[in-house]
Amino acid sequence: MIEANSLTKYFDDFLAVDRVTFSVPQGNVLVLLGKNGAGKTTTVRMLTSILRPSSGSAWVAGYDVVKQADQVRASVGVLTEHHGLYGRMNAEEYLVFFGNLYGLRRQDALRRAAPLLELFGLAEAARKRLGEYSKGMRQKLALARALLHDPPVLLLDEPTSAMDPESARTVRDAINRLRGQGRTILLCTHNLAEGEELADQVAIIQAGKILIHGELESVRRSLLGPPEFEVRLAQPVNGLVPSLPAGVELRERGDRWLRFQVDRPDLVNPALLRALLDQQMEVVSLQEVPRSLERAFLEAVRNTGAEVQHV
Amino acid sequence: MFDALRPAWVIVRREVRDQFRDWRIIFPIIGLTLVFPFIMNWTAQQMLDFTREYGATIIADRMVPFLLMVVGFFPISVSLVIALESFVGEKERGSIEPLLNTPLKDWQLYLGKLVSSTVPPLVSSYLGMLVYLSGLMIKHIELPGAEVMVQIFLLTTVQAVMMVSGAVVVSTQATSVRAANLLSSFIVIPVAFLIQWEALVMFWGNQGTLWWVVAGVLVLTVLLVRVGLAHFHREELLGREIDVLKLRWAWGNFSKAFNGGARNVWDWYRNVLPATLRRLALPCAFVALMAGAGLLIGTTLVRDYPFLIDGGKLKDAGTSLKKLLDVWPLFRVESVTMIWWQNLRVLILGMVIGVFSFGVLGVLPLIATMSVTGYLVGVLTNSGLSLALLAALLLPHGLFEIPAAILATAAVLEAGAILATPTPTRTISEVLLATLADWAKVMVGIVIPVLLLAAFVEAWVTPRIALWAFGG
């Protein structure tokens, strides 16, 4: 549904996006992570046919972003970084205006707007001047605008950045629902927990270049190594290092705990438990250590010189 | 067709509704529509009463249509503010990007904004003029002639569109309303001059000239709309940082275009300059035609403004030439540099006014010079001077000067045409720098050296040939 192939963008001599390549199948969410100025917005603008790529190509919803710009724009819903609402309009007028631009009649636009306003908790404020809206309300209305024409592809830039936790949850639930409906979503965010929750795929971009791209678990594994486990023991080991079966790489240890990585936990973990018991070490618990996307992201941006990885 | 215009209409509706919700736009428009015309009525009455006392009624007669023009102009000056707010304000607030993400075509957005910025002030202007004319009728003051009224209505309309389309061009170079307001002096100052000039023509009472003004402003407006359309595209609206004066970048772009990748001067003359000259072939042909037309117009003007030179004076021409040779002795450089600089500055002036008029006014110096030449030729031949003698006076240096002037003017015309042509991958600044580089190439590579050669010929050779032809 979204295909970017060596997308490159120069502004004069400045290389803003450097041979960005990724593919997002229908019904998937790709989370694009990157610091400010990394090239996320420029990439999105090329995918919405606002900016013309200096080289490379991209297809969105089956349309070429250069040759079929009108069809691309009709097929995507975009939540931009700046929501740019018109302060002297109300929500209904605003959505009808954009509905008209997408070729909807006033009645159709109103019919579509009503459930969206309801979904985002704006129904009661539908006749209020947008200038009086809070930041979060503006963001929700901008999201409603992006969904108004029922686009198969959504490009969302920081969809929950200004929202309170409850509104952010509503939006995340909405994104999950939209994915369930088969929409393809590209999500740019700095909220790594949100990215982790929503992502089918992750791409980390730095200085215009994709550092790593792949499914969330593959990216984690590629950046942080095999899964990490922690064993808690009933008695202190008193400085003794237990002998561990092959395939276990000990990372850290304390008086009553060991932390290790294994490539094949399904095979190695039972053997490890047996080995510990054989060595008279009673196990209280064995659990996987959660590794956040944040850790993976920081690991990725630390190695900026590394080759692009598609995992 | 109507389907294609519908999105533009959606924009117009929203923008106009938005304007009518903003008291900062409503109040001045109401004031200028309903209050200002009465002040002008009162002014007209006072002027009439005052001038009648001294029998200078002609001044008051001319004052009445002039005040009509003023009443019409004030509301349309608001259109400039609306346009800057509409185009740049949206950029500044970030509300333009959601619009650019819709299937709107660039021209539909442009048209929508152009119409919405022009029509409300224009309607207010028409209403103001009607109120003013009604006031005149109530006060039993004679209305201006129908022709003048039509001209003023047309001028008001065209000027409104011109200012808004100028604002669009300005807007492409600004990302904040503040920056756009600063740049708008490029519109306000020329329009102020234009209004003064129109006022002068109106007081002169020359309706024919006023029609030429209408036509000239119309041509400029069409060009501005075309330039606005050419540069009003998504890439230019969002893609670049344009508020910073990047002299190094500008110089880099200019010198890159000027050098054209040449390895040395020889390579530049062999490959870069000829490529530019090939591009100038059509403008050259056009300018040559215009120059010929100028010459022809000059000779025909002799019929309308006949002028005979005393035959005796012509006989003394040989003596005058001899005196000239005393002032301009052979190998004296001052005369050469004087002629060279005179010709060069006319071409530079052509370039300057050409840049501000998209090439159109850049042709004027050449046409004017050729017309004067044509007129002189006509006067001298009518006075009995033979064509052969005239050729001896003009051709030796003219053979160099005229082609050089045609080439330089063609480069200005080409620059204007390129500025008004859509360039999706380049900004207006990049286009301007490239066209300036083209003009500089032609000037440095050919025109300046040829003009120098022509100046040598004019100072040292032509007078001697002429003297020989006069039998000196």
Side-chain angles (χ1 to χ4, degrees):
Chain A
M1 260 304 192
I2 305 176
E3 286 258 0
N5 191 9
S6 284
L7 266 189
T8 301
K9 182 66 188 175
Y10 278 95
F11 293 116
D12 301 328
D13 295 331
F14 174 68
L15 179 58
V17 172
D18 185 9
R19 289 166 291 159
V20 161
T21 299
F22 58 74
S23 159
V24 194
Q26 187 181 355
N28 266 238
V29 176
L30 166 68
V31 172
L32 190 58
L33 300 171
K35 293 193 268 190
N36 292 328
K40 300 188 297 286
T41 304
T42 303
T43 304
V44 168
R45 284 178 177 172
M46 284 193 280
L47 293 175
T48 50
S49 298
I50 288 184
L51 295 180
R52 209 183 167 85
S54 304
S55 64
S57 54
W59 286 266
V60 173
Y63 299 112
D64 186 315
V65 295
V66 175
K67 293 177 190 150
Q68 295 164 297
D70 289 345
Q71 289 93 324
V72 167
R73 286 195 281 263
S75 313
V76 294
V78 187
L79 176 70
T80 49
E81 193 183 350
H82 305 287
H83 312 123
L85 308 184
Y86 299 111
R88 284 187 284 269
M89 289 178 114
N90 66 39
E92 240 175 49
E93 288 171 338
Y94 183 73
L95 291 177
V96 167
F97 168 63
F98 273 92
N100 288 163
L101 291 178
Y102 282 104
L104 298 174
R105 288 167 191 277
R106 184 185 157 74
Q107 286 312 316
D108 294 336
L110 279 173
R111 198 166 40 76
R112 286 191 191 192
L116 288 169
L117 290 171
E118 194 68 51
L119 173 68
F120 294 118
L122 296 172
E124 282 182 20
R127 298 276 171 93
K128 201 171 162 183
R129 265 179 7 99
L130 301 184
E132 294 170 23
Y133 269 35
S134 70
K135 258 185 175 179
M137 289 166 89
R138 284 165 192 233
Q139 196 155 10
K140 284 190 275 185
L141 182 62
L143 196 54
R145 178 197 68 214
L147 296 170
L148 187 69
H149 58 294
D150 203 16
V153 175
L154 287 164
L155 305 173
L156 309 176
D157 200 349
E158 297 287 342
T160 60
S161 62
M163 288 182 189
D164 58 72
E166 194 188 348
S167 302
R169 170 50 51 203
T170 308
V171 170
R172 281 198 284 272
D173 288 346
I175 292 173
N176 265 323
R177 227 181 355 261
L178 291 164
R179 180 210 342 239
Q181 291 166 1
R183 313 217 195 200
T184 310
I185 301 169
L186 174 69
L187 179 79
C188 300
T189 184
H190 288 133
N191 183 341
L192 297 171
E194 178 177 283
E196 197 158 14
E197 182 188 331
L198 296 172
D200 295 305
Q201 297 180 36
V202 172
I204 297 175
I205 188 168
Q206 165 108 328
K209 213 168 187 159
I210 296 269
L211 300 177
I212 189 163
H213 166 233
E215 286 180 7
L216 183 58
E217 201 38 55
S218 316
V219 167
R220 257 200 212 122
R221 201 181 173 101
S222 167
L223 291 166
L224 303 172
E228 207 170 293
F229 292 87
E230 188 179 277
V231 172
R232 293 224 161 241
L233 302 167
Q235 294 91 29
V237 290
N238 296 326
L240 289 172
V241 180
S243 86
L244 300 173
V248 174
E249 192 185 332
L250 191 63
R251 305 287 297 177
E252 285 175 274
R253 66 190 172 93
D255 210 22
R256 286 168 186 258
W257 59 272
L258 304 168
R259 199 172 272 190
F260 59 93
Q261 284 186 300
V262 282
D263 240 337
R264 297 287 310 272
D266 52 333
L267 298 177
V268 177
N269 282 2
L272 173 80
L273 286 176
R274 275 195 300 273
L276 289 172
L277 288 172
D278 289 349
Q279 294 169 62
Q280 312 302 318
M281 294 180 178
E282 288 176 342
V283 174
V284 178
S285 67
L286 168 64
Q287 61 183 16
E288 189 171 355
V289 177
R291 293 180 303 171
S292 66
L293 187 56
E294 182 180 68
R295 232 175 104 191
F297 173 74
L298 293 173
E299 187 64 33
V301 295
R302 218 171 277 145
N303 303 316
T304 43
E307 282 297 299
V308 180
Q309 292 181 58
H310 292 277
V311 291
Chain B
M1 181 64 186
F2 285 113
D3 280 346
L5 289 175
R6 192 165 292 139
W9 176 240
V10 174
I11 298 287
V12 173
R13 267 198 336 233
R14 192 207 76 75
E15 298 254 345
V16 171
R17 194 177 298 161
D18 208 48
Q19 286 167 30
F20 282 101
R21 284 174 177 171
D22 191 344
W23 63 269
R24 287 159 299 190
I25 293 175
I26 291 294
F27 279 14
I29 285 189
I30 290 176
L32 292 169
T33 309
L34 299 176
V35 182
F36 187 62
F38 288 114
I39 299 173
M40 290 297 104
N41 280 150
W42 180 81
T43 309
Q45 185 68 65
Q46 294 300 309
M47 282 295 294
L48 283 170
D49 294 345
F50 178 74
T51 51
R52 262 182 212 135
E53 275 183 43
Y54 298 95
T57 49
I58 188 162
I59 297 175
D61 289 347
R62 300 283 158 85
M63 196 73 181
V64 173
F66 169 70
L67 291 177
L68 176 67
M69 188 174 78
V70 172
V71 167
F73 177 73
F74 274 38
I76 62 162
S77 64
V78 178
S79 66
L80 181 65
V81 181
I82 295 175
L84 291 177
E85 166 58 27
S86 169
F87 286 95
V88 190
E90 285 231 40
K91 266 202 238 180
E92 194 172 29
R93 288 188 299 272
S95 56
I96 194 125
E97 192 165 356
L99 283 180
L100 301 181
N101 283 319
T102 67
L104 260 180
K105 292 184 193 312
D106 293 340
W107 70 264
Q108 289 167 332
L109 182 55
Y110 176 87
L111 182 69
K113 284 184 171 287
L114 187 80
V115 172
S116 58
S117 304
T118 314
V119 171
L122 205 52
V123 169
S124 154
S125 169
Y126 293 153
L127 286 175
M129 286 196 280
L130 285 177
V131 170
Y132 173 77
L133 292 172
S134 310
L136 290 181
M137 286 197 288
I138 291 165
K139 286 175 184 283
H140 303 292
I141 298 171
E142 197 182 338
L143 292 179
E147 189 182 0
V148 179
M149 284 204 281
V150 170
Q151 284 173 328
I152 290 171
F153 271 88
L154 282 175
L155 269 175
T156 306
T157 311
V158 179
Q159 275 165 187
V161 183
M162 181 181 73
M163 283 200 288
V164 173
S165 49
V168 180
V169 176
V170 160
S171 305
T172 59
Q173 297 305 297
T175 52
S176 66
V177 176
R178 180 179 165 276
N181 279 324
L182 291 172
L183 281 173
S184 68
S185 56
F186 282 104
I187 306 164
V188 173
I189 294 170
V191 170
F193 276 123
L194 182 68
I195 296 288
Q196 285 175 38
W197 201 60
E198 285 166 6
L200 198 73
V201 174
M202 213 166 270
F203 273 97
W204 179 21
N206 190 328
Q207 255 86 69
T209 307
L210 215 50
W211 280 119
W212 280 108
V213 176
V214 174
V217 177
L218 184 66
V219 168
L220 198 59
T221 304
V222 169
L223 278 170
L224 275 170
V225 171
R226 171 108 177 96
V227 172
L229 267 174
H231 295 280
F232 189 81
H233 50 77
R234 284 165 160 85
E235 181 95 26
E236 192 145 340
L237 287 172
L238 275 187
R240 319 212 179 184
E241 182 58 61
I242 44 185
D243 278 349
V244 184
L245 182 61
K246 294 183 282 187
L247 286 177
R248 189 178 291 174
W249 169 85
W251 174 248
N253 263 282
F254 175 83
S255 55
K256 196 171 153 191
F258 184 86
N259 293 332
R263 291 184 297 277
N264 48 45
V265 177
W266 172 240
D267 185 30
W268 187 81
Y269 264 106
R270 246 186 95 190
N271 297 311
V272 179
L273 189 57
T276 305
L277 292 177
R278 275 195 293 278
R279 278 204 301 277
L280 291 178
L282 190 65
C284 270
F286 181 75
V287 171
L289 268 175
M290 298 289 279
L295 199 68
L296 212 65
I297 289 167
T299 51
T300 54
L301 280 177
V302 180
R303 274 202 307 267
D304 300 328
Y305 304 97
F307 182 77
L308 272 181
I309 300 173
D310 183 11
K313 277 187 183 165
L314 277 179
K315 278 179 191 151
D316 288 342
T319 323
S320 305
L321 278 167
K322 273 181 192 160
K323 278 185 193 162
L324 181 67
L325 289 180
D326 292 338
V327 187
W328 288 0
L330 205 55
F331 304 123
R332 187 161 176 185
V333 179
E334 284 89 337
S335 51
V336 176
T337 51
M338 191 189 78
I339 293 168
W340 176 72
W341 173 237
Q342 166 62 21
N343 288 334
L344 190 58
R345 72 181 175 182
V346 170
L347 294 181
I348 291 171
L349 176 74
M351 173 62 190
V352 173
I353 58 174
V355 164
F356 286 100
S357 60
F358 306 105
V360 175
L361 296 179
V363 191
L364 271 188
L366 181 68
I367 295 180
T369 310
M370 295 308 284
S371 300
V372 170
T373 309
Y375 181 74
L376 278 177
V377 168
V379 166
L380 290 170
T381 48
N382 284 353
S383 306
L385 211 64
S386 77
L387 268 175
L389 210 55
L390 274 169
L393 275 167
L394 296 173
L395 281 185
H397 58 280
L399 283 174
F400 301 103
E401 252 175 28
I402 295 170
I406 287 175
L407 194 56
T409 309
V412 175
L413 197 66
E414 168 85 350
I418 292 175
L419 276 175
T421 306
T423 47
T425 54
R426 291 193 296 171
T427 64
I428 196 165
S429 318
E430 287 168 333
V431 173
L432 184 64
L433 286 169
T435 54
L436 280 177
D438 267 359
W439 179 79
K441 271 188 259 181
V442 168
M443 291 300 284
V444 172
I446 300 175
V447 176
I448 292 175
V450 171
L451 282 183
L452 193 62
L453 183 65
F456 277 116
V457 174
E458 188 168 354
W460 296 347
V461 181
T462 305
R464 284 163 181 83
I465 293 177
L467 192 63
W468 169 77
F470 273 99

